[in-house]
Amino acid sequence: MHASRRFRQAIEQRRQQQLYRQPTLIEQYQGRLVQVAGQQYLNFSGNDYLGLAQSDQLKAALSEGALRFGSGSSGSPVLTGFHYAHQALTDKLCDWLQVEDVLLLSSGFAANQLLLHTLPDKQDHLLLDKLCHASLIDAALTAPCSYSRFSHQDWSALDSKLRQHSNSWVVTEGVFSMDGDSPDWSRLTALCASHQAELILDDAHGLGQSGPEGRGSWAAQGGNVAGISALMANFGKALAGQGAFVAGSTLLIDYLRQFGRHYIYSTSLSPALCWALCTAIDLCRKEQWRRDKLQQHSELFRRLATEAELPLLPSATAIQPVLVGDTEKALMLSEQLKQRGIWLSAIRPPTVPRHGARLRVTLSALHQTEDIYHLIKTLRSLW
Ligand SMILES: Cc1ncc(COP(=O)(O)O)c(C=O)c1O
């Protein structure tokens, strides 16, 4: 194969740059604990913010869904892949988020591709925050219109770009996945409104963990969903499932249903999973204690890390990155933590900017107070 040599070289280069990636085989997942190669670790690298992934009610709902609807959807939603369970999940999302309609997609990555490929017209312009997720950046690169990026959360930079481009779509995240911070909602929406720009919000990390009943980052700041043209979030984080949705007006969702290739030409989610997600939303809405716990953990972590003089980024969410800078050092710290029973992955470029390697602590409602004390004590001893 003529490409083999190139593949080998590229992989070797990745190894030399300490950027080689490999999945870890998780033998057992128990919320705050993971078991790898027979060894248990305190887990600070998951996205199970509310600790729902091991909930007995969710397991029961998934089993019931499988018994009622079978395992797979057996087709695209526009053929035979849209079942009663998909409609139930759609209705649940509309009621929870107070939106007119929702489209279900097989992943957040696909949802972001669909949004940036389908919504803008040729003469439109996409404006992305510089720290947007890879799924948004890749989608912008191949979108049908021009795009540019503005410095992270820099409102005057965004304002001047909006002045240069009419028919803009501003694309940002509710909680930035690698930094844990959120845009200032009133400034962002005021800017979009004053320039008549459309707003696309990826709230993958905000949904469930913030806002009244876990509606998301915009709701946490008292925002109105009507200010968002297209709201996207995935089910793989706080809701402990898989897949994603896009929410918006009846008109926008109908347009995506007609022209969204990632929707039309893709097998829809498993109906059993959709059934379980309905239960996940119910639990998320009514079990406020999970968000309260998460908030307490994040405040405690910040207080202790500040006292220990660890370099934190400004985040008030369950994502608490400790900036290391050097990739090798971040990997070494992660390894040393592992030897002390703590699973905390190093995040390296290109996921984060060059010299931006970090230990990205993610908290869960299932963590215990002593877990956080233990993490900080260990980090301080290694730093
Ligand atoms: C901000 C953000 N958007 C989109 C995605 C992609 O979602 P999915 O994992 O469902 O493909 C992720 C990662 O999971 C993410 O962190």
Side-chain angles (χ1 to χ4, degrees):
M1 190 168 89
H2 76 279
S4 304
R5 201 158 143 249
R6 178 165 52 84
F7 293 167
R8 272 193 217 98
Q9 275 174 355
I11 290 171
E12 190 45 38
Q13 196 182 14
R14 277 259 143 135
R15 274 191 219 280
Q16 281 168 10
Q17 293 169 334
Q18 309 267 20
L19 298 177
Y20 186 73
R21 291 157 201 262
Q22 239 175 341
T24 303
L25 177 65
I26 304 291
E27 292 165 349
Q28 232 180 16
Y29 174 82
Q30 298 166 341
R32 56 189 269 277
L33 300 174
V34 284
Q35 185 178 309
V36 179
Q39 185 84 31
Q40 274 209 336
Y41 297 89
L42 202 44
N43 177 23
F44 284 104
S45 281
N47 289 141
D48 183 14
Y49 299 123
L50 300 180
L52 286 174
Q54 292 300 308
S55 131
D56 288 339
Q57 284 132 299
L58 265 194
K59 287 181 196 169
L62 190 59
S63 310
E64 186 193 308
L67 292 175
R68 282 182 68 161
F69 308 107
S71 56
S73 69
S74 81
S76 151
V78 293
L79 296 173
T80 56
F82 191 77
H83 299 218
Y84 179 80
H86 296 91
Q87 186 63 56
L89 178 57
T90 303
D91 294 344
K92 213 26 96 192
L93 285 162
C94 287
D95 177 58
W96 180 28
L97 303 173
Q98 292 296 295
V99 289
E100 285 179 9
D101 205 356
V102 153
L103 205 67
L104 303 176
L105 282 308
S106 59
S107 74
F109 206 102
N112 282 340
Q113 301 283 310
L114 165 110
L115 287 173
L116 303 201
H117 287 181
T118 318
L119 292 178
D121 205 357
K122 271 199 210 89
Q123 70 274 15
D124 290 359
H125 187 75
L126 288 168
L127 274 167
L128 275 74
D129 185 291
K130 220 164 200 154
L131 295 191
C132 275
H133 189 259
S135 55
L136 292 165
I137 296 168
D138 285 12
L141 283 169
T142 48
C145 62
S146 59
Y147 84 97
S148 59
R149 294 159 79 187
F150 59 95
S151 306
H152 182 52
Q153 315 265 34
D154 182 341
W155 307 121
S156 59
L158 175 60
D159 186 37
S160 72
K161 285 202 180 265
L162 282 166
R163 285 175 201 282
Q164 289 162 32
H165 302 279
S166 47
N167 302 334
S168 287
W169 295 82
V170 175
V171 183
T172 190
E173 289 180 29
V175 174
F176 281 84
S177 59
M178 294 301 138
D179 288 48
D181 57 342
S182 296
D184 177 329
W185 194 250
S186 54
R187 292 191 78 173
L188 172 67
T189 47
L191 267 178
C192 288
S194 69
H195 293 279
Q196 295 184 321
E198 309 272 359
L199 175 61
I200 294 177
L201 184 75
D202 175 339
D203 209 19
H205 295 272
L207 188 81
Q209 78 152 290
S210 53
E213 295 188 349
R215 280 193 209 99
S217 59
W218 53 275
Q221 292 189 49
N224 190 330
V225 75
I228 311 170
S229 305
L231 168 66
M232 169 273 172
N234 61 5
F235 298 128
K237 313 226 183 264
L239 295 182
Q242 197 171 14
F245 70 89
V246 172
S249 68
T250 310
L251 176 66
L252 181 127
I253 298 299
D254 195 24
Y255 183 76
L256 289 174
R257 208 176 273 127
Q258 305 312 314
F259 299 103
R261 297 170 72 82
H262 302 78
Y263 174 75
I264 299 167
Y265 300 106
S266 186
T267 304
S268 66
L269 289 173
S270 146
L273 176 64
C274 294
W275 200 242
L277 284 166
C278 289
T279 298
I281 293 173
D282 289 343
L283 293 173
C284 172
R285 290 182 77 167
K286 69 175 185 239
E287 297 193 343
Q288 177 60 31
W289 67 264
R290 294 179 187 271
R291 273 179 294 283
D292 293 344
K293 265 250 142 52
L294 207 48
Q295 189 60 34
Q296 285 161 18
H297 290 340
S298 135
E299 282 166 16
L300 177 65
F301 177 85
R302 285 195 77 75
R303 182 169 66 72
L304 297 178
T306 308
E307 283 166 16
E309 297 183 5
L310 294 171
L312 290 182
L313 293 182
S315 156
T317 66
I319 301 174
Q320 290 292 334
V322 183
L323 199 60
V324 180
D326 181 56
T327 297
E328 215 167 314
K329 184 173 173 197
L331 282 174
M332 194 180 70
L333 281 167
S334 172
E335 190 50 44
Q336 289 172 333
L337 285 163
K338 205 180 293 173
Q339 286 160 13
R340 288 158 179 79
I342 294 173
W343 200 271
L344 175 48
S345 309
I347 309 283
R348 300 162 282 170
T351 308
V352 289
R354 241 154 53 95
H355 311 301
R358 64 200 63 185
L359 297 169
R360 174 179 169 259
V361 175
T362 48
L363 300 163
S364 163
L366 294 188
H367 279 128
Q368 295 170 2
T369 305
E370 52 268 31
D371 298 340
I372 294 162
Y373 276 97
H374 180 57
L375 170 64
I376 296 286
K377 202 171 143 208
T378 316
L379 266 174
R380 181 153 55 177
S381 71
L382 294 173
W383 204 257

